[in-house]
Every structure is written in C-alpha cells, then in structure tokens.
Amino acid sequence: MSMKYLSQRVAQIIDEELMSQAGGFSIDQLMELAGFSVAQAVAKVYSKESYSRILVCCGPGNNGGDGLVAARHLSHFGYRPSIFYPKQSKKDLFQRLATQCNNLKIPFVNELNKQLLNNTDLVLDAIFGFSFSGEIRTPFGEVIQTLKETNVPIASVDIPSAWDVEKGNIDGRSFIPTMLISLTAPKMGAQQFKGIHYLGGRFVTPELDRKFELNLPPYPGIEQVVDITNLTNERL
Amino acid sequence: MSMKYLSQRVAQIIDEELMSQAGGFSIDQLMELAGFSVAQAVAKVYSKESYSRILVCCGPGNNGGDGLVAARHLSHFGYRPSIFYPKQSKKDLFQRLATQCNNLKIPFVNELNKQLLNNTDLVLDAIFGFSFSGEIRTPFGEVIQTLKETNVPIASVDIPSAWDVEKGNIDGRSFIPTMLISLTAPKMGAQQFKGIHYLGGRFVTPELDRKFELNLPPYPGIEQVVDITNLTNERL
C-alpha cells in the first residue's frame, strides 16, 4: 500500500477532524508542532554553517503561521532568520506568533527584492498552504515572480506556493522549490515534485491513518519528520 | 556565571511573563513544548526497548498537563505509556489533552498499586510542579507513599512531586527520583538533586535569560533538551 496524496477537500476534512471536539487539538498546538517539524526538516538538510540567513516568507493564513513558528525555532537553533510578512493577520494567535519572533529580535523586512535575496542562503516559503485556490492576490503575484527568478534554494511548507493543491504547478506559473515539507500527508499536487521531500506532523493517530487510508510511513526514533524523498520518487 | 536556580516566586513571574501580551505564548503552546521536551529527555535516557511501559502519573494542574502531552509524544515514539490521572481537570485544555491520549488508545488506570508497578518499567511523575506548596491533598499522599516504596525508576517533571520547590525533600517526606527534567530553569529545591538532570523549554529568549540572570546553558543542535547532570553536580 503506497502513501496517499490528499485532495484539497480531504486535507481540509482531516484538519477539521484534528481540531474538532473528537480530535481535541487546538490550532495553537497543531501550528506549534507543524512549524517545529518544518524547522527540524530544514535543519536536517541545510546546515546553519552554510545556510544561516533564512528568509521566511509568510502568507496571511495558517501556512504563514507555520512559517512564523518555524522562524522562531530556527532562531533558537542558531540560524539567523528574517521574516517577510506583507499581509499580517489580525487574529490573536498570529499577532502572538509575531510577538514571539520580535522578542527574539528576528528582523521583519518590508520588501522582497534582489538585493535581499543576494544576502539570503535559503528561502522558506510559507505563503500559501492547502487552502489556496483561484487567483494570486497582491502583493503575492510579484513575490512569486521574484521567487521564480532567484537561484537561492527554496524550501516550501506543505505545498509550493501558488501551485494548485491537486494539479501542481499549472502552466509553470510558480517556482519549483528545492525542498518540500509536506504536513500531515502530502497533497496531490506534490506528486509532480521531484526534489528533497520531508513529511512532518507526527500527531496523526493510527485510527485517523486507517480512516483516511493515509498509509503514512513510520517516523524514525524521536524525530518529528521523516524523509520521504525516495518514497515519493518511487512512484514517478 | 553559573546557572540560576529559581525561587517559587521568580518561577511564577517568568511563567506569567511568557504568557503575558509581551511574551505572546499561549498555555497550549508552552505546554506542548514543555511536554514534548519531557518526552524527548525520557527517550534519550530510557530506551523504548528496555523501558517501554511508562506509567505517567498526572496531577490536577499544569504539571499534569505536561505529563499528558509527554504521554502522547511517548506513544508516537513507540513506547507503551499508560496514565494515572485521579483528579482530572475540568478545564477545556486538559480535557482536550486527555482526548488526544484516548485517541491514541493510551489506557487510563484507576489505581496506583504494587501490581501495576510490577508491570511498569518507568514512572513519569507529573503530579505537582512549581506551584506546589502546603499539604498534599488526597489521594496524592498515598500516591507519594507508594512511589517512595517502589524500586521502579522515576523521572520527575520540573520538580520531584511533594518536594518543597525551594527547600527540596523536607524530612524525606517524598521520593527521590532517578531523573529530573527541569523546565525553563531549575528550581532551588533541585539543588539537592544528584541524579540524571535534563533541562527543557527551549523557548526562553536571550532577553529573558538576561533579565532574570538565568545563565541557561546552550541547547545542542536542534534538541529541545540539554543534559545538565554535570553542570548541576559541579556545584554540590
């Protein structure tokens, strides 16, 4: 049985189930675990000696929240992250996550330009997640275009931003990241991704795995992430 | 400069500061990180091959909540925890943490007796934390007595239960654990503890460290815990 790639609808249902009364999770908890697993995966692939300067690009939704959590953990790990977060959510949780980053003196930058990218070792793309659909709103069209043109490696959270969650990088309108950290389970659009691929979200119960026939691979030891690069490419 | 051991009052002030508007953390987040670090520390010292059967003893407060989070992560790590939680909190967060354990089929046991301990490889003591003072309420007096008499190794969360947070194990009224996982910073009572000692809580900012003159040791790599056994014993 091979690992399942989720449709957008099933990804939303699983997310809702985790946070339902039956699942018991709060969004604070899940975002903490998701963001932590992103930071852990990044640190396993990109050493802080060579990739210290990480630019975390955050969108306005939950994917952006995962990015804020990851930025905080990366700072604790000894990286020097900075954050580009042009459409900041007014929700309490997101404001608190930004406060936590401020308290670590992580700089927030106002503009994503080539000069900034020249001083960046890695971009962490936390712009859009599994809820993305339709048009790319301002200012993210320009952001996606800039990321398309850069040679800086990019690690994407959950799904590369502006990819169709199910159909992938339609008409090549978005960039192809170097690394993808899928959360909970990979999305259908990630089937066409051939780079370094990690899975995070070690909170799925065996029951939930069975119910949705996820066939998730086992996580090693006490890790919050599992390398699924080979698993993914087997099926290509 | 040596690491600071906190008074009960300073421990409470730091906790309040972390969760204030200036600190930005929610209790869900901090408890998740604390409980995860406890599970990670336990896994580093007690292998799942030899210490699979972990009895997590949870008190009615936040220390018990850390225990519930740790039990969940230990289950994901491949241990077979069970939970003794005689005074269950009615607060929403605690009910949700218990639900999450239920969803992993972690058994809740109703009684702590010798037969149960005979089938236990390790006790995780999450009964009382840094807020403890005064008398030990029913049924925990009996629980402490049972843990005093057992030969099963005990790992305590933050401070060994029923120890005075500042003065330690007064009149030997409580047990001496094999391992202690201090959270945020060790408490004054832990100065007399000579066993395996880990520190968890990699969320303290450098600013907070300076403000309270904590002089926390650096955490290695991407770990959520640091072994302070030697640091602690140096000063004895």
Side-chain angles (χ1 to χ4, degrees):
Chain A
M1 300 266 272
S2 57
M3 185 176 51
K4 189 172 197 166
Y5 287 74
L6 305 184
S7 67
Q8 186 165 45
R9 191 170 155 270
V10 171
Q12 275 158 347
I13 291 172
I14 293 175
D15 205 48
E16 282 162 19
E17 182 141 334
L18 283 166
M19 288 192 279
S20 69
Q21 204 178 345
F25 283 95
S26 68
I27 189 165
D28 291 47
Q29 262 188 301
L30 283 183
M31 203 169 271
E32 191 63 35
L33 291 172
F36 179 71
S37 71
V38 168
Q40 199 179 56
V42 165
K44 283 182 181 294
V45 174
Y46 299 100
S47 75
K48 69 180 168 192
E49 288 72 27
S50 303
Y51 297 90
S52 172
R53 300 168 302 175
I54 302 181
L55 178 64
V56 184
C57 297
C58 296
N62 288 351
N63 205 254
D66 297 340
L68 293 173
V69 173
R72 167 164 42 88
H73 286 290
L74 287 165
S75 169
H76 280 296
F77 294 169
Y79 291 82
R80 289 184 293 144
S82 53
I83 298 173
F84 175 59
Y85 185 27
K87 291 283 174 191
Q88 306 202 1
S89 171
K90 291 204 168 65
K91 287 184 189 166
D92 176 63
L93 169 59
F94 290 79
Q95 294 195 343
R96 288 192 287 98
L97 293 176
T99 295
Q100 291 160 27
C101 289
N102 266 318
N103 289 345
L104 284 167
K105 316 288 184 209
I106 301 174
F108 283 72
V109 298
N110 291 321
E111 206 189 337
L112 180 70
N113 55 39
K114 282 180 186 171
Q115 200 197 330
L116 180 65
L117 285 169
N118 282 340
N119 292 298
T120 295
D121 302 313
L122 177 72
V123 171
L124 183 61
D125 154 37
I127 301 174
F128 300 128
F130 68 80
S131 303
F132 175 78
S133 67
E135 292 308 300
I136 303 170
R137 295 208 187 135
T138 308
F140 294 107
E142 222 173 290
V143 172
I144 298 294
Q145 192 55 39
T146 305
L147 293 180
K148 270 186 84 161
E149 291 164 11
T150 185
N151 291 318
V152 177
I154 301 175
S156 288
V157 177
D158 207 21
I159 186 86
S161 291
W163 282 33
D164 186 278
V165 176
E166 298 183 359
K167 295 182 192 128
N169 192 14
I170 300 174
D171 303 330
R173 77 168 173 177
S174 189
F175 56 86
I176 299 173
T178 334
M179 178 183 186
L180 175 63
I181 304 116
S182 289
L183 295 171
T184 307
K187 313 304 169 292
M188 285 167 69
Q191 287 179 307
Q192 62 177 244
F193 177 71
K194 299 187 182 80
I196 304 164
H197 197 169
Y198 274 71
L199 176 66
R202 198 174 184 175
F203 43 69
V204 176
T205 63
E207 202 174 22
L208 208 67
D209 186 294
R210 277 192 297 275
K211 179 172 173 181
F212 291 97
E213 298 174 331
L214 302 178
N215 301 311
L216 294 178
Y219 285 79
I222 61 171
E223 303 297 325
Q224 291 300 289
V225 293
V226 50
D227 185 351
I228 57 172
T229 310
N230 292 333
L231 262 183
T232 317
N233 290 341
E234 265 168 29
R235 47 184 320 293
L236 289 170
Chain B
M1 297 269 272
S2 57
M3 184 175 53
K4 189 171 196 166
Y5 288 74
L6 306 182
S7 67
Q8 187 166 42
R9 191 169 156 270
V10 171
Q12 276 159 347
I13 290 172
I14 294 175
D15 205 49
E16 282 162 20
E17 182 141 335
L18 284 165
M19 289 191 278
S20 69
Q21 203 177 345
F25 283 95
S26 68
I27 188 164
D28 291 47
Q29 263 187 301
L30 283 183
M31 205 171 270
E32 191 62 35
L33 291 171
F36 179 73
S37 70
V38 167
Q40 200 180 56
V42 164
K44 284 183 179 293
V45 174
Y46 298 101
S47 75
K48 69 180 169 194
E49 288 71 26
S50 303
Y51 297 89
S52 173
R53 300 168 302 175
I54 301 181
L55 177 65
V56 184
C57 296
C58 296
N62 288 352
N63 204 254
D66 296 339
L68 293 171
V69 173
R72 166 163 44 85
H73 286 290
L74 287 165
S75 170
H76 280 295
F77 293 169
Y79 290 82
R80 291 184 293 142
S82 54
I83 296 172
F84 175 60
Y85 184 27
K87 290 283 173 191
Q88 307 200 1
S89 170
K90 292 204 168 63
K91 286 184 190 165
D92 177 62
L93 169 59
F94 290 79
Q95 293 195 344
R96 289 191 287 97
L97 294 176
T99 294
Q100 292 160 25
C101 289
N102 266 317
N103 288 346
L104 284 167
K105 316 290 184 206
I106 301 174
F108 283 73
V109 299
N110 292 319
E111 207 188 337
L112 179 70
N113 55 39
K114 283 180 186 168
Q115 201 197 329
L116 178 66
L117 286 170
N118 283 340
N119 293 297
T120 295
D121 302 315
L122 176 72
V123 170
L124 183 61
D125 155 36
I127 300 173
F128 301 128
F130 69 78
S131 303
F132 175 78
S133 65
E135 290 309 301
I136 304 170
R137 293 207 190 137
T138 307
F140 294 107
E142 221 172 292
V143 171
I144 298 295
Q145 191 55 40
T146 304
L147 293 180
K148 270 187 82 162
E149 290 164 11
T150 186
N151 290 319
V152 177
I154 302 174
S156 289
V157 176
D158 207 20
I159 186 86
S161 290
W163 282 32
D164 186 278
V165 176
E166 298 183 359
K167 294 183 194 128
N169 193 14
I170 299 175
D171 303 330
R173 76 170 175 176
S174 189
F175 55 85
I176 298 172
T178 333
M179 178 182 185
L180 174 63
I181 304 115
S182 290
L183 295 171
T184 308
K187 313 304 169 289
M188 284 168 69
Q191 287 179 306
Q192 62 177 245
F193 178 71
K194 299 186 182 79
I196 304 163
H197 196 169
Y198 275 70
L199 176 67
R202 199 173 183 175
F203 42 68
V204 175
T205 63
E207 202 175 22
L208 208 66
D209 186 294
R210 276 192 296 276
K211 178 172 173 183
F212 291 98
E213 299 174 330
L214 301 179
N215 300 311
L216 294 177
Y219 284 79
I222 62 172
E223 303 296 325
Q224 291 299 290
V225 292
V226 50
D227 185 349
I228 57 170
T229 309
N230 292 333
L231 262 184
T232 316
N233 290 340
E234 265 169 30
R235 49 183 316 298
L236 291 171

PDB file of all heavy atoms in Angstrom, chain B residues 1-2 52 57 62 204 230:
ATOM      1  N   MET B   1      29.798  32.568  35.340  1.00  0.00           N
ATOM      2  CA  MET B   1      28.446  32.712  35.885  1.00  0.00           C
ATOM      3  C   MET B   1      27.740  31.357  35.849  1.00  0.00           C
ATOM      4  O   MET B   1      27.637  30.737  34.792  1.00  0.00           O
ATOM      5  CB  MET B   1      27.652  33.698  35.027  1.00  0.00           C
ATOM      6  CG  MET B   1      28.220  35.104  35.008  1.00  0.00           C
ATOM      7  SD  MET B   1      27.496  36.093  36.298  1.00  0.00           S
ATOM      8  CE  MET B   1      26.029  36.718  35.419  1.00  0.00           C
ATOM      9  N   SER B   2      27.240  30.939  36.977  1.00  0.00           N
ATOM     10  CA  SER B   2      26.581  29.631  36.989  1.00  0.00           C
ATOM     11  C   SER B   2      25.070  29.786  36.801  1.00  0.00           C
ATOM     12  O   SER B   2      24.491  30.855  37.014  1.00  0.00           O
ATOM     13  CB  SER B   2      26.901  28.887  38.282  1.00  0.00           C
ATOM     14  OG  SER B   2      26.499  29.671  39.375  1.00  0.00           O
ATOM     15  N   SER B  52       9.695   0.284  27.906  1.00  0.00           N
ATOM     16  CA  SER B  52       8.517   0.544  27.082  1.00  0.00           C
ATOM     17  C   SER B  52       7.300   0.970  27.905  1.00  0.00           C
ATOM     18  O   SER B  52       6.546   1.855  27.522  1.00  0.00           O
ATOM     19  CB  SER B  52       8.199  -0.727  26.283  1.00  0.00           C
ATOM     20  OG  SER B  52       6.999  -0.577  25.604  1.00  0.00           O
ATOM     21  N   CYS B  57       2.064   9.569  35.805  1.00  0.00           N
ATOM     22  CA  CYS B  57       1.199   9.986  36.916  1.00  0.00           C
ATOM     23  C   CYS B  57       0.960  11.479  36.817  1.00  0.00           C
ATOM     24  O   CYS B  57       1.901  12.273  36.928  1.00  0.00           O
ATOM     25  CB  CYS B  57       1.863   9.665  38.248  1.00  0.00           C
ATOM     26  SG  CYS B  57       2.098   7.908  38.510  1.00  0.00           S
ATOM     27  N   ASN B  62      -0.999  22.199  35.948  1.00  0.00           N
ATOM     28  CA  ASN B  62      -0.217  22.295  34.712  1.00  0.00           C
ATOM     29  C   ASN B  62       0.857  21.213  34.605  1.00  0.00           C
ATOM     30  O   ASN B  62       1.190  20.781  33.496  1.00  0.00           O
ATOM     31  CB  ASN B  62       0.437  23.682  34.604  1.00  0.00           C
ATOM     32  CG  ASN B  62      -0.586  24.760  34.305  1.00  0.00           C
ATOM     33  OD1 ASN B  62      -1.758  24.458  34.025  1.00  0.00           O
ATOM     34  ND2 ASN B  62      -0.175  26.009  34.372  1.00  0.00           N
ATOM     35  N   VAL B 204      12.920  30.178  25.918  1.00  0.00           N
ATOM     36  CA  VAL B 204      13.342  31.369  26.655  1.00  0.00           C
ATOM     37  C   VAL B 204      14.201  32.236  25.736  1.00  0.00           C
ATOM     38  O   VAL B 204      15.156  31.744  25.135  1.00  0.00           O
ATOM     39  CB  VAL B 204      14.145  30.966  27.907  1.00  0.00           C
ATOM     40  CG1 VAL B 204      14.688  32.206  28.620  1.00  0.00           C
ATOM     41  CG2 VAL B 204      13.290  30.124  28.847  1.00  0.00           C
ATOM     42  N   ASN B 230      26.034  17.150  34.763  1.00  0.00           N
ATOM     43  CA  ASN B 230      27.363  17.547  35.244  1.00  0.00           C
ATOM     44  C   ASN B 230      27.383  18.982  35.751  1.00  0.00           C
ATOM     45  O   ASN B 230      27.977  19.279  36.775  1.00  0.00           O
ATOM     46  CB  ASN B 230      28.405  17.364  34.137  1.00  0.00           C
ATOM     47  CG  ASN B 230      28.609  15.890  33.826  1.00  0.00           C
ATOM     48  OD1 ASN B 230      28.391  15.040  34.690  1.00  0.00           O
ATOM     49  ND2 ASN B 230      28.997  15.594  32.595  1.00  0.00           N
TER      50      ASN B 230
END
